[in-house]
Structures are given as C-alpha cells and as structure tokens.
Amino acid sequence: MDDTHFFLPAYKASRLATVYSFENGRLSPCPRHKWKSGPRCICGRTRASVFLLGGAGLISSAHDYAAFLQMIADNGVANGKRLLSRKSVELMHVNHLPANVKSSWTNGTGFGLGFSVVTNLGLRGSLGSLGEYGWGGAYHSSYWMIDPVEDLVVVYFTQVIPAQNLNDHQLLRNLVYQAIAD
C-alpha cells in the first residue's frame, strides 16, 4: 500500500483528486476552503498530524483501499502473507450492537468493528446478502460491499461534498447485484 498516508507527501500533491460539489442539480469543482473540515479531516494537508487515527485521518488511493478490503475479504491474507489473524477478521465483521439499539440506519443492519453488517436482508430492504459488510468515508466515498456470499468487494469513490439528494450508491448496488448471472 504505497499510496496510503496519514499526510500527503508533497511529491504526490498533484495526484490528489479534485473534490466536487453537487448543488442545485449541478456538479462543479469545489474550492478547497469549502472542503469538509473537522478535527481529523486531512483534506490534502502535506504535514503529519499529531494524533494518527486510522479510522479518520488516512488518505489513500482507490487501488490501495481495494487491496486493503480484499485482504479483509480474504480473512487477513494479502499476497499469500497473513497480516491479520482469521479470528480477528471474523470479529471485525459480526454485529456487536445489542438487539435494543435502533437508529435510522440499523433496520436489518448492525455494526461490527469498523463495518456495518447486514443482519436481516428483508428488514434492510435492498439487494445484497446476509453477512455483507462495509462502510463509507469522506466526500461520498463508499466501500459499501464486502459480500462473502457472492465473493464481491466494491470500492466507490466519488469525491463529492456535499452529497445530499444523491442515490448513486443505491443505483450502483442494484446494478452490481442485478448483473450477477449464475
């Protein structure tokens, strides 16, 4: 994973993807001063952060991120080398939420250690598989599917902020699952 960093090296700054805004039905480049900011959002900074937090501060390429997810899908093995124990990976993608926890996104979905987990396909109400897991990131990016049943890993990076009133994640999900032909 040569393109994953806690800070963007200056020599890679030209490779940083453009962030777009989608407002009033139009997509246009978003000035950097309007990029999502917060205590951990690096937004292309070229200096290291004081507090390095993998869940909210890494910058990566689609290729590197897909490689990481494929390693998780392969139970901790990448390029024939074990990086995480099989039991650790299993623990990451099982639901850890108590049955009484309810929120707007938990219908048929629980949460593991870093991943949402489909626990009831009927309650979730969209195409997928029981046990599918994933999550998202800044700028409307998503790895919304590691599906062990269908042997799928999907990484979808859009670089859009704000991303309100978009249904592209659901449309892509539908297209991917409808394309499965046994």
Side-chain angles (χ1 to χ4, degrees), residues 22-170:
F22 185 76
E23 297 177 277
N24 302 320
R26 298 188 55 119
L27 190 65
S28 59
C30 184
R32 281 196 185 202
H33 73 277
K34 290 187 176 182
W35 287 14
K36 187 177 186 177
S37 61
R40 290 297 311 128
C41 182
I42 60 169
C43 301
R45 290 188 307 213
T46 56
R47 64 178 183 81
S49 300
V50 174
F51 183 62
L52 305 179
L53 178 63
L58 286 170
I59 190 167
S60 189
S61 65
H63 181 268
D64 271 13
Y65 206 65
F68 167 74
L69 295 174
Q70 188 63 58
M71 180 271 300
I72 296 293
D74 291 339
N75 290 311
V77 176
N79 300 319
K81 183 178 179 184
R82 178 155 300 283
L83 301 176
L84 294 173
S85 76
R86 177 179 55 83
K87 297 307 284 182
S88 292
V89 174
E90 286 174 10
L91 191 61
M92 292 170 73
H93 61 83
V94 296
N95 183 28
H96 291 265
L97 295 179
N100 63 346
V101 173
K102 300 289 180 203
S103 76
S104 61
W105 64 268
T106 60
N107 286 342
T109 306
F111 201 79
L113 303 178
F115 303 100
S116 62
V117 182
V118 176
T119 58
N120 185 314
L121 199 55
L123 280 177
R124 192 184 64 180
S126 64
L127 294 172
S129 297
L130 191 62
E132 167 195 323
Y133 55 104
W135 199 241
Y139 310 112
H140 197 59
S141 63
S142 180
Y143 65 94
W144 48 259
M145 183 171 38
I146 299 174
D147 186 330
V149 174
E150 299 295 346
D151 195 24
L152 288 171
V153 174
V154 174
V155 177
Y156 183 58
F157 289 173
T158 58
Q159 296 303 99
V160 176
I161 193 76
Q164 296 135 345
N165 303 316
L166 295 176
N167 68 344
D168 55 319
H169 287 184
Q170 190 59 48

